[in-house]
Amino acid sequence: MEFTDYMATQRQALMRFATVLTCRPWLAEDLVSDVLCRAYERWDRISQVAEPHAYIRRMVLNEYLSWRRRLVRSSPRADLEPVHPRLGDGAEERAERDAMIAQLARLPRQRRAALVLRYYAGLSDAEIATELGCQVTTVRSQISRALATLRIELSPNTLQETK
Amino acid sequence: MTDLRTLADAFAELERRADVAMSTVDPSKSGAWLDSPPVRRRRTWASHGWLTPVAAAAAVVFGVVAAAVALAPGGGSGTQPGTQTSTQANTAATTAPTTQPAPASTPTVPRDSAELATRFQTVLGDTATFTVTDTGPGIVENSTPAGAFLGGVLTASGVSGGYNLWFYPGRVLGECGDCTTSRLDDGSELWVHQMPLDAAPDSLTVAAELYRADGVLIRLFVSNASSPKGGDTVQLAAQPPLTQEQVIAILTSDRW
């Protein structure tokens, strides 16, 4: 796969993943930009791996986990607010969704990454453990704590599927 | 209590915000990306064409250039003994001054990392030396690389630390939550921030990003750790080899 082909087909998915991971489009764009520059330089090698997108997604994840930015803002948290607030039906659901985004953004980085990898990227606990460089038990603990913080109650069926 | 549907809704909304962010600079909507007018850019910047990829370089040490320099030798007490002049000040400001002298000339974007390294040494003068262990384009936008990037270790007055330097046709990417911003006389915008690193205790990265009014972006991160961004990094000194004032002076230098 050529780098141009990768960019054409996967950049949006990469940007979406980074935004879900960081909850901040501006930070996601910065991360993705830096990662793509490095990927461009190493494309000869990256294009040979079985799943280049998974590889680059891991680069984004590692970049995010290794960065230390103080995210305290003195201005209103504009990028955690709805970009186009809408009036009308579904206001309660939107408020609940936006509150969830705000809570997600406050999760510790590692915990948020584990949650996103399971419920957004659809990875198994073993795959998540590989991505994060930790034990499977740690992954489950992190996710359990994240769900508790977000006050998410899993149905019995969901509990069965995630084990 | 809530359930996973709310989490899924949150993910979907974040995806939508990502798509909105991408659509503001989508070249298919506004022509070539360099001609698209992101919010704070003043003028488009002509592309210098395709960047010739630079292979990953072995460490190259750029020696002292015996030229007049505008920067005072920097550095801190560090863990390595180093020579320090009596004129050195080793205080890293936590906020940038509200007014800054504007760069006197309009620099062209470097063709590649080798050119950027030459320019960097010219700007540094005899303030510091640096190695180059990582190179690449400054940015890759829609598969088009532009500008240049350098990474390595910078040494000033016997104090060493990792650095990253970017130089490319730039645009403001949005807000930087922990930055101190100031507007220069020519309309350029300076973002200054300091970041502790998770990976190494007592590590610190000082960073400045100059968004020039003429469409050029220069970013310099300098750390007392081997990598200014953390990750697989070790602490090399008690403080970064350059102060925040020195980093700002480098970015606003007219020697680029």
Side-chain angles (χ1 to χ4, degrees):
Chain A
M1 177 190 290
E2 298 293 331
F3 185 77
T4 50
D5 296 331
Y6 175 80
M7 290 283 282
T9 58
Q10 298 293 351
R11 190 173 191 276
Q12 184 182 41
L14 202 62
M15 183 63 188
R16 285 179 169 184
F17 172 74
T19 303
V20 169
L21 186 64
T22 62
C23 297
R24 289 166 172 80
W26 62 266
L27 180 56
E29 198 162 4
D30 208 14
L31 287 173
V32 169
S33 179
D34 281 353
V35 164
L36 287 177
C37 283
R38 296 209 309 273
Y40 176 81
E41 281 294 288
R42 302 165 194 173
W43 191 250
D44 285 349
R45 179 165 52 86
I46 294 175
S47 62
Q48 301 301 315
V49 304
E51 295 181 37
H53 181 61
Y55 186 96
I56 294 178
R57 189 181 62 194
R58 185 183 294 186
M59 289 175 70
V60 170
L61 176 67
N62 289 339
E63 183 81 1
Y64 171 62
L65 292 175
S66 68
W67 256 114
R68 171 67 166 176
R69 285 182 186 246
R70 274 171 280 138
L71 298 176
V72 175
R73 302 174 69 103
S74 57
S75 56
R77 302 169 73 99
D79 58 4
L80 295 180
E81 299 295 329
V83 176
H84 300 291
R86 297 182 294 273
L87 301 176
D89 294 340
E92 189 175 329
E93 288 77 11
R94 284 193 296 278
E96 199 175 339
R97 175 203 68 196
D98 295 338
M100 176 65 72
I101 290 174
Q103 289 177 293
L104 198 58
R106 286 192 287 267
L107 285 177
R109 205 171 297 221
Q110 189 96 351
R111 204 169 292 176
R112 192 194 317 169
L115 188 82
V116 168
L117 288 174
R118 179 192 276 186
Y119 291 112
Y120 179 75
L123 271 59
S124 68
D125 291 351
E127 290 170 327
I128 297 171
T130 302
E131 295 278 312
L132 298 181
C134 63
Q135 301 292 322
V136 172
T137 50
T138 304
V139 169
R140 290 177 180 154
S141 170
Q142 296 276 19
I143 291 176
S144 176
R145 290 179 188 177
L147 293 173
T149 302
L150 299 176
R151 298 179 58 78
I152 292 176
E153 193 167 37
L154 298 181
S155 66
N157 288 340
T158 307
L159 276 169
Q160 190 63 33
E161 288 165 1
T162 55
K163 290 196 185 288
Chain B
M1 297 296 284
T2 183
D3 57 28
L4 287 175
R5 285 175 298 180
T6 308
L7 183 63
D9 288 345
F11 289 157
E13 169 62 15
L14 287 168
E15 281 190 327
R16 191 188 66 78
R17 295 181 189 181
D19 293 347
V20 168
M22 285 184 65
S23 69
T24 59
V25 291
D26 186 342
S28 68
K29 290 178 166 49
S30 57
W33 76 274
L34 288 174
D35 294 322
S36 66
V39 174
R40 300 184 201 185
R41 288 184 64 192
R42 301 289 196 274
R43 199 173 79 207
T44 60
W45 185 262
S47 171
H48 283 256
W50 290 89
L51 174 74
T52 302
V54 178
V60 176
V61 178
F62 283 78
V64 170
V65 173
V69 295
L71 301 170
S77 55
T79 57
Q80 305 171 25
T83 56
Q84 298 187 8
T85 69
S86 59
T87 59
Q88 282 183 5
N90 189 34
T91 54
T94 55
T95 58
T98 54
T99 58
Q100 296 282 348
S105 61
T106 300
T108 56
V109 176
R111 290 181 301 266
D112 52 34
S113 297
E115 181 180 336
L116 179 59
T118 300
R119 291 203 206 172
F120 190 32
Q121 187 61 72
T122 301
V123 173
L124 288 175
D126 62 1
T127 302
T129 60
F130 58 94
T131 64
V132 177
T133 55
D134 200 4
T135 60
I139 192 170
V140 177
E141 195 82 25
N142 295 306
S143 306
T144 303
F149 164 80
L150 295 177
V153 175
L154 183 145
T155 301
S157 299
V159 178
S160 295
Y163 79 92
N164 286 162
L165 174 66
W166 296 261
F167 197 130
Y168 56 91
R171 58 183 172 84
V172 175
L173 297 180
E175 295 183 52
C176 183
D178 58 354
C179 290
T180 301
T181 61
S182 59
R183 179 79 60 179
L184 306 187
D185 295 341
D186 69 347
S188 300
E189 198 163 305
L190 182 67
W191 291 7
V192 181
H193 40 145
Q194 294 191 4
M195 297 166 284
L197 299 176
D198 277 335
D202 301 320
S203 58
L204 177 70
T205 293
V206 297
E209 307 179 56
L210 180 66
Y211 294 87
R212 295 178 57 103
D214 53 12
V216 168
L217 190 152
I218 313 175
R219 307 167 69 197
L220 178 59
F221 291 12
V222 180
S223 179
N224 63 343
S226 55
S227 168
K229 287 190 171 183
D232 187 16
T233 189
V234 295
Q235 188 171 343
L236 299 179
Q239 295 185 46
L242 298 176
T243 64
Q244 195 165 77
E245 291 93 341
Q246 289 174 311
V247 171
I248 292 171
I250 289 169
L251 293 191
T252 55
S253 169
D254 61 0
R255 299 171 67 89
W256 283 108

